[in-house]
């Protein structure tokens, strides 16, 4: 029993670090999705489209967030994602976030990111850190 408790105690920092949002990597090694080379861009596009179609709009409905020009013009999150060599999201850091005119709540941020933790990224996106914009804003 003591060994099990010791093992859990030792592993806790490792598990917590897997989703730590503060120390992804130095910013000079981050590639923005809009600057990806052609093959990586083509690999990213279906991921982004699927996230927008299935996660983004459904999450906004779930949280009763309605975008309009009079009240709420944007729900956007700029995120740095560290993808490991097996195609799993290792860490992420929110560079900035906006929900209407406020900062995004952690619960909404985690719901947005859950999709990426369950995804296996294609080869052109592995072993790198990418910065992307999740969400959208209205042109009013």
């Amino acid at each position: 029993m003591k060994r099990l408790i010791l093992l859990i105690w030792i592993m806790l920092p490792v598990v917590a670090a897997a989703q730590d949002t503060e120390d992804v990597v130095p910013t000079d090694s981050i590639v923005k999705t809009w600057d990806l080379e052609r093959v990586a861009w083509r690999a990213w596009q279906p991921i982004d489209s699927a996230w927008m179609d299935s996660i983004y709009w459904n999450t906004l409905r779930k949280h009763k967030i309605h975008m309009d020009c009079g009240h709420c013009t944007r729900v956007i999150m700029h995120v740095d994602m560290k993808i490991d060599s097996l195609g799993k999201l290792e860490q992420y850091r929110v560079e900035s976030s906006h929900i209407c005119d406020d900062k995004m709540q952690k619960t909404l941020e985690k719901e947005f990111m859950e999709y990426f933790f369950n995804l296996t990224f294609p080869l052109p996106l592995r072993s790198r850190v990418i910065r992307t914009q999740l969400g959208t804003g209205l042109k009013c």
Side-chain angles (χ1 to χ4, degrees), residues 1-139:
M1 184 67 172
K2 287 182 181 180
R3 286 184 183 184
L4 179 61
I5 293 171
L6 180 62
L7 180 62
I8 292 170
W9 184 75
I10 290 170
M11 291 303 294
L12 272 174
V14 174
V15 173
Q19 294 187 15
D20 187 358
T21 61
E22 296 304 316
D23 59 346
V24 176
V25 290
T27 56
D28 59 344
S29 62
I30 296 171
V31 179
K32 297 173 182 160
T33 51
W34 50 91
D35 290 335
L36 286 169
E37 65 278 2
R38 183 179 299 250
V39 174
W41 171 254
R42 286 184 182 156
W44 172 253
Q45 277 305 109
I47 293 169
D48 185 53
S49 294
W51 182 84
M52 283 293 289
D53 293 344
S54 63
I55 305 302
Y56 182 69
W57 296 112
N58 290 336
T59 303
L60 294 186
R61 275 191 288 280
K62 176 182 169 186
H63 289 271
K64 298 180 178 157
I65 300 168
H66 304 283
M67 292 177 58
D68 61 51
C69 289
H71 171 68
C72 183
T73 60
R74 63 188 173 164
V75 179
I76 296 175
M77 196 165 77
H78 292 96
V79 183
D80 298 336
M81 296 186 209
K82 185 177 183 183
I83 303 163
D84 69 16
S85 62
L86 299 175
K88 291 299 185 183
L89 180 60
E90 193 175 309
Q91 294 177 314
Y92 74 97
R93 176 181 60 207
V94 176
E95 184 65 25
S96 64
S97 67
H98 304 280
I99 179 165
C100 305
D101 289 327
D102 295 322
K103 188 173 180 182
M104 191 174 293
Q105 297 171 344
K106 286 285 184 188
T107 54
L108 187 59
E109 172 190 312
K110 287 182 181 185
E111 281 186 55
F112 280 173
M113 294 306 298
E114 184 178 341
Y115 170 82
F116 298 102
F117 276 107
N118 293 317
L119 183 70
T120 300
F121 288 83
L123 285 172
L125 299 172
R126 294 180 185 183
S127 299
R128 55 194 326 177
V129 179
I130 59 172
R131 175 171 293 161
T132 191
Q133 173 182 302
L134 299 175
T136 190
L138 301 175
K139 291 183 180 181

